[in-house]
Amino acid sequence: MIRLLLADDHQLVREGLKQILGQSADIEIAAEAATGDEALAQAKAREFDMAVLDLSMPGLSGIALIKRLKLEKPKLRMLVLSMHAENQYAARALRAGALGYLTKDCASEQLIVAIRKIAQGGVYLSDSATQVLLAATVRGDTPPHTRLSDREFLRFSFCRLDAPSNTTVRQAADDLFVIQCIRFPAPPHFSPWGHFLPHTLNLPILGNKPSSSKG
């Protein structure tokens, strides 16, 4: 029996997937999650054979979620099921630790085949995604966005017209590991040009996100 963790922020999608996968005697949806943070908590608390993940969810999501799950649960196999085109995210998701990538317009039979193959230790990509990745490798003319770092690509994706509408500024900051500004009083003698400086400085700090809960 393949025990699945299903993570998608749309209940209608989760219900549809449960109906599709429920027809297979060897697949069990053992838990659900509506956010990336819930998916991470479920994965840490219980044992699953696989996780089927949406890329765009509130809170921790996307490539950052895949990397975190890979770090916390190295043996957990992951399949991305996303609305985003394969040529945009597939290679990046595989590098982060996923073993497969499908778009949500795939056939239900293809999803079941992908789950079974990944559960057995394989990697699954659609024929179209495989052709795109192979052609880019042979020609060496990868699209410009694939040469961005994960952090740069995440910033780029927030600026796109098709970026998820449920992504708030706070969630974007969390995904980018941007720590909130610290505030401290600036003494009047702080600078020869002190009269041009405000009495309180706001300094954005970039770095690793602290492990404690959000404050």
Side-chain angles (χ1 to χ4, degrees):
M1 179 69 69
I2 304 170
R3 287 172 50 82
L4 287 183
L5 167 61
L6 177 61
D8 194 291
D9 60 330
H10 293 96
Q11 183 176 355
L12 187 62
V13 173
R14 297 197 306 274
E15 293 296 331
L17 289 174
K18 285 192 291 186
Q19 290 187 12
I20 293 171
L21 299 178
Q23 301 173 11
S24 301
D26 59 336
I27 298 175
E28 173 194 1
I29 297 182
E32 300 177 44
T35 69
D37 297 307
E38 289 180 10
L40 180 60
Q42 289 273 16
K44 292 170 68 174
R46 303 171 61 183
E47 293 298 325
F48 302 96
D49 300 306
M50 275 188 64
V52 177
L53 307 171
D54 185 16
L55 273 184
S56 302
M57 292 185 290
L60 183 67
S61 66
I63 303 303
L65 175 60
I66 296 172
K67 287 185 173 182
R68 185 68 181 274
L69 285 170
K70 186 68 176 178
L71 178 65
E72 299 283 353
K73 306 291 288 190
K75 294 183 180 180
L76 180 65
R77 300 180 175 98
M78 290 175 277
L79 168 65
V80 173
L81 184 62
S82 173
M83 66 177 182
H84 298 291
E86 293 157 314
N87 61 350
Q88 295 177 353
Y89 281 95
R92 199 172 294 273
L94 293 178
R95 287 198 298 268
L99 293 176
Y101 192 104
L102 286 174
T103 55
K104 289 182 177 178
D105 59 357
C106 71
S108 57
E109 295 82 3
Q110 188 178 21
L111 175 60
I112 294 173
V113 169
I115 290 173
R116 288 172 175 162
K117 183 172 183 178
I118 293 173
Q120 294 172 359
V123 176
Y124 190 91
L125 287 172
S126 68
D127 290 340
S128 59
T130 302
Q131 291 299 322
V132 168
L133 293 176
L134 286 176
T137 301
V138 171
R139 295 194 305 265
D141 57 348
T142 55
H145 72 269
T146 64
R147 296 192 289 271
L148 297 174
S149 68
D150 289 333
R151 184 183 176 85
E152 291 168 337
F153 187 74
L154 188 58
R155 293 175 63 186
F156 164 74
S157 66
F158 286 134
C159 298
R160 291 169 43 198
L161 294 178
D162 61 344
S165 59
N166 61 353
T167 300
T168 66
V169 173
R170 177 61 183 272
Q171 290 165 2
D174 286 343
D175 285 343
L176 288 169
F177 300 148
V178 178
I179 303 174
Q180 285 189 321
C181 297
I182 64 170
R183 301 173 66 90
F184 64 90
H189 58 278
F190 180 78
S191 164
W193 300 278
H195 59 285
F196 291 112
L197 296 175
H199 288 291
T200 301
L201 300 181
N202 293 318
L203 301 180
I205 300 178
L206 303 183
N208 294 326
K209 186 178 179 181
S211 57
S212 60
S213 60
K214 300 176 184 176

